[in-house]
Amino acid sequence: MKEKSDKKETAKKKKKAAAPKAPKAPPKTPKKAAKKTAKKAAPSPRKPSKKTAAQTETAAAEAPRKKAETQAHPHRSLYQDFDALSEYLTEVSGKSQEVLREFAVRNQDMRRYTGELPADPLNVGEAFQEMLKGLSIDPGAVMQRQFNLWGDYAKLMANQSRRMAGEEVRPTIEPAKGDKRFAHPAWNENPMLDFVKQSYLIFARWLETTIAQLEFEDEHEKKKAEFFTRQFIDAFAPSNFAMLNPEVIEATLESKGENLLKGLRNLLEDIDRGHGELAIRQADLDYFKLGENVATTPGKVVFQNEIFQLIQYSPTTETVAKTPMLIIPPWINKFYILDLQPQNSFIHWLVDQGRTVFVMSWVNPGPELRDKTFEDYIKQGLFEALGAVKQATGEEKADAIGYCIGGTMLSTALALMAKQGDHRVNSATFFTAQADFKESGDLLLFVDDEQLDAIEKQMDAAGGVLEGRAMATTFNMLRSNDLIWSFVIDNYLKGKDPARFDLLFWNSDATRMPKNVHLFYLREFYQHNRLAEGEMVMDNCRLDLSEVDVPIFMQAGETDHIAPHNSVYRTARLFASGDNDNVEFMLAGSGHIAGVINHPDKHKYHHSTNKRLPATLEEWKAGAERHPGSWWPYWIEWLNKVSPGKVPARQPGDGGLSIIEDAPGGYVKVKA
């Protein structure tokens, strides 16, 4: 047995000797050597102590509960994937440099736009200054109220500690009902985000109430301070910051950072499109085409002069009302808000009701019209439109609709016509229009001498016109969360494509305004309220709305922030202050746009009616009857009563006016 074993061992040695030798391993690098040394030096693993074992046992027992909690509240862990998030942000940072370089090459001389790029495109600095000015009114009162703020923060900290200990606690403060900024579940489920949200809400409430309680010598200055404080609060909401917005974090993780890169491109495109100023896109500006998918109701341009085109729409019924209808839209924006698409077009619906409809399409004025006046817009605009309607139909009178500033002009014109014995208007309907501006809301904040002088200088620098973007920005500031910051988040942080939303497309299609027309409107109506006070003089006539004796129908919107319904009600009572007993006020659900554009087929909102016009709006509301749905059918019944009679349908071009071009015409297509 021993002999056999020796033979085997000898064979093994021979085989090993015959085998090729493996190359020697390369020498260890210092790093590897250090690792090996450290490994050797490391103490041998010990058995876990009783404490460690207990902790391990507790962790194992807690694991199912934590898993169930994560499934129930998935957004609590939203911020835990820091490695992936930092990787994406690093990659986007490098790519963004390339995007910026490309933009710089394309626009090598950005100063050609406005002299220099705006440092504060969203006017946050102005809001901050106005807020500080307000706080400086009474430093003692502000310091005293600091204790309230500290007390609220102490409650928040105590609640947060209890929550971290696993206790269910009620929030110290909650967002207002309908505040979309904090709709994502993570704002409640993630303790860090919930703490940030509540801290912001506490400070916002403190700041607003502090400004509201301070004693100002000038009420106008107080309202300015309150308004700009709200602007500042809205600007610094945590939802406006990428790393605090859970929707942005989700988008970043899902797209591996592409949302931020696309958002940067969107931002640069908007600066480029705004010629150096930030022009936030609210809608897909390339998708909508006038006459193709908006403003499509068939009709013809039958008259034009240097400030407007007149469109006559083709009938859809065999007979029509004897009295034609003339619509006077605001020149502050374009008429096709009343003709967006067939399913929501007021003009299309009105044609279907058997009315011969004409609409004024105002020119988008350039510096050549800088000297036009408000009186020119009445005489060369409204009066010539009435004359053209008579030529087209042979009728002596027309029913008129005035929308917003178009309604303000219609009120002024009616008062002038009453003085001059001009009876060409059969009835007047007003959509969210004011003639009494005493309670006209936050827009009053922009009409003090200082700001009007600044606007005048701005218009002089632009050649005698107010650029459309300037007025659009002012209107957007009235609802900054909805019309500014939501788009900043969607466009620049989430990197979304602009929505294909007809209303927002129209809202972005701004118009310019001649200097004299706009300043007259701001000074004479908003600042001095001369028409309502009986102090406005035009064509050597002192105007008095109580002398207007045509049937009046006034529509207002419950949540209108541009023409508040209390202001519109005051206007209705002005018309009814004389012998005119045919004045009706109607209050629609929603605001300045949706309160007007509410097709009956949509079955949306509501409207309230009351035939009486008592001394106060509160009394009117107390006696009003509320109805579901659109107010259009109610109004058309009123119109049919005050404007009866039928004639065969009229076609554009059949009367005394020739066809110039197809609707919507060329004026409305001019971009500001």
Side-chain angles (χ1 to χ4, degrees), residues 40 48 230 380 447 483:
K40 285 180 179 178
R230 288 196 300 273
Q380 197 177 351
V447 292
L483 297 177

Side-chain angles (χ1 to χ4, degrees), residues 429-567:
T429 297
F430 296 89
F431 295 168
T432 61
Q434 304 168 93
D436 187 329
F437 286 76
K438 186 175 182 180
E439 299 180 31
S440 54
D442 284 339
L443 281 174
L444 281 172
L445 303 175
F446 297 92
V447 292
D448 55 39
D449 288 332
E450 181 183 357
Q451 294 188 77
L452 290 178
D453 289 343
I455 291 173
E456 185 169 7
K457 289 176 183 176
Q458 185 181 350
M459 288 190 281
D460 286 337
V465 294
L466 181 69
E467 291 294 339
R469 194 183 307 118
M471 204 65 206
T473 299
T474 300
F475 285 132
N476 290 341
M477 286 175 68
L478 300 180
R479 292 173 54 204
S480 61
N481 282 328
D482 292 335
L483 297 177
I484 296 178
W485 296 110
S486 66
F487 293 104
V488 169
I489 293 168
D490 284 349
N491 296 3
Y492 309 143
L493 301 184
K494 295 182 185 178
K496 284 186 174 183
D497 291 322
R500 291 179 174 178
F501 187 10
D502 53 7
L503 177 58
L504 290 177
F505 170 75
W506 167 84
N507 195 50
S508 301
D509 193 6
T511 59
R512 295 179 291 266
M513 283 164 285
K515 172 184 171 179
N516 291 332
V517 175
H518 194 55
L519 285 178
F520 183 93
Y521 176 59
L522 294 180
R523 286 189 171 126
E524 299 302 303
F525 291 99
Y526 269 102
Q527 189 177 26
H528 300 300
N529 202 21
R530 295 203 195 281
L531 182 60
E533 298 293 335
E535 298 172 355
M536 183 170 288
V537 176
M538 189 170 291
D539 206 8
N540 297 316
C541 299
R542 184 177 291 274
L543 306 184
D544 185 350
L545 289 177
S546 69
E547 296 178 359
V548 176
D549 62 355
V550 302
I552 301 288
F553 187 98
M554 303 211 71
Q555 176 270 342
E558 283 182 345
T559 59
D560 194 333
H561 60 292
I562 294 174
H565 62 281
N566 53 319
S567 184

Side-chain angles (χ1 to χ4, degrees), residues 101-174:
R101 276 196 295 271
E102 290 173 10
F103 180 76
V105 170
R106 282 201 319 272
N107 303 278
Q108 292 183 22
D109 185 15
M110 285 294 288
R111 289 175 179 270
R112 73 186 187 275
Y113 290 145
T114 58
E116 59 182 21
L117 292 180
D120 184 20
L122 295 168
N123 300 316
V124 176
E126 182 184 6
F128 182 65
Q129 289 173 4
E130 290 291 342
M131 181 196 70
L132 290 182
K133 190 190 298 183
L135 291 174
S136 68
I137 292 292
D138 190 349
V142 173
M143 182 61 70
Q144 198 171 24
R145 285 189 55 80
Q146 284 278 82
F147 292 106
N148 297 338
L149 180 63
W150 295 337
D152 288 339
Y153 277 137
K155 290 177 189 174
L156 176 61
M157 294 296 293
N159 282 347
Q160 192 71 6
S161 299
R162 290 163 57 198
R163 178 178 178 177
M164 297 304 289
E167 187 179 339
E168 288 287 335
V169 294
R170 293 183 63 181
T172 308
I173 188 171
E174 293 187 272

Side-chain angles (χ1 to χ4, degrees), residues 5 24 47 51 70 172 216 236 245 261 314 356 361 400 402 405 411 422 499 519 549 608 643 666 669:
S5 176
K24 289 183 178 181
K47 292 181 180 180
K51 184 178 180 182
T70 301
T172 308
F216 286 72
F236 282 92
N245 190 320
L261 195 62
S314 303
T356 304
S361 174
I405 192 173
S411 296
D422 187 339
L519 285 178
D549 62 355
S608 300
S643 180
K669 295 178 181 178

